[in-house]
């Protein structure tokens, strides 16, 4: 999920019930580049709140908005590969 400066809008994704998950371990896995926070979601027509990891750093120069909110579709449309790190 993009950070605050990137714009608010529709983002397609999945909602999972976390159950007894160790959120501290998940926070450590996501690292300092992301912050976990509550976000409004729609699930089967219901408005709910869920927690999502949101990009917490400035967006890189040349970052492009994904207007339709579907990252997988955007990768397919642009022929790009997901970021794999340095």
């Amino acid at each position: 999920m993009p950070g605050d400066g990137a714009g608010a809008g529709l983002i397609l994704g999945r909602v999972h019930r976390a159950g007894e998950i160790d959120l501290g371990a998940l926070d450590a896995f996501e690292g300092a580049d992301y912050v976990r926070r509550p976000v409004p979601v729609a699930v089967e027509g219901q408005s709910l709140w869920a927690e999502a990891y949101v990009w917490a750093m400035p967006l890189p120069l040349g970052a492009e908005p994904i207007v339709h909110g579907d990252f997988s579709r955007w990768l397919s449309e642009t022929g790009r590969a997901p970021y794999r790190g340095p």
Side-chain angles (χ1 to χ4, degrees):
M1 212 171 185
D4 289 332
L10 177 69
I11 298 174
L12 301 180
R14 293 185 174 97
V15 176
H16 298 275
R17 190 175 307 276
E20 299 285 327
I21 193 166
D22 179 352
L23 289 174
L26 192 54
D27 291 343
F29 172 80
E30 291 294 343
D33 291 346
Y34 292 89
V35 61
R36 180 171 39 93
R37 70 173 187 208
V39 296
V41 299
V43 177
E44 297 178 355
Q46 274 192 311
S47 294
L48 307 170
W49 285 90
E51 289 189 335
Y53 285 93
V54 178
W55 184 251
M57 307 302 289
L59 291 175
L61 290 176
E64 299 175 36
I66 302 174
V67 178
H68 49 64
D70 186 334
F71 183 65
S72 294
R73 177 178 148 194
W74 180 81
L75 289 175
S76 179
E77 290 171 351
T78 61
R80 296 184 184 174
Y83 179 71
R84 302 269 187 229

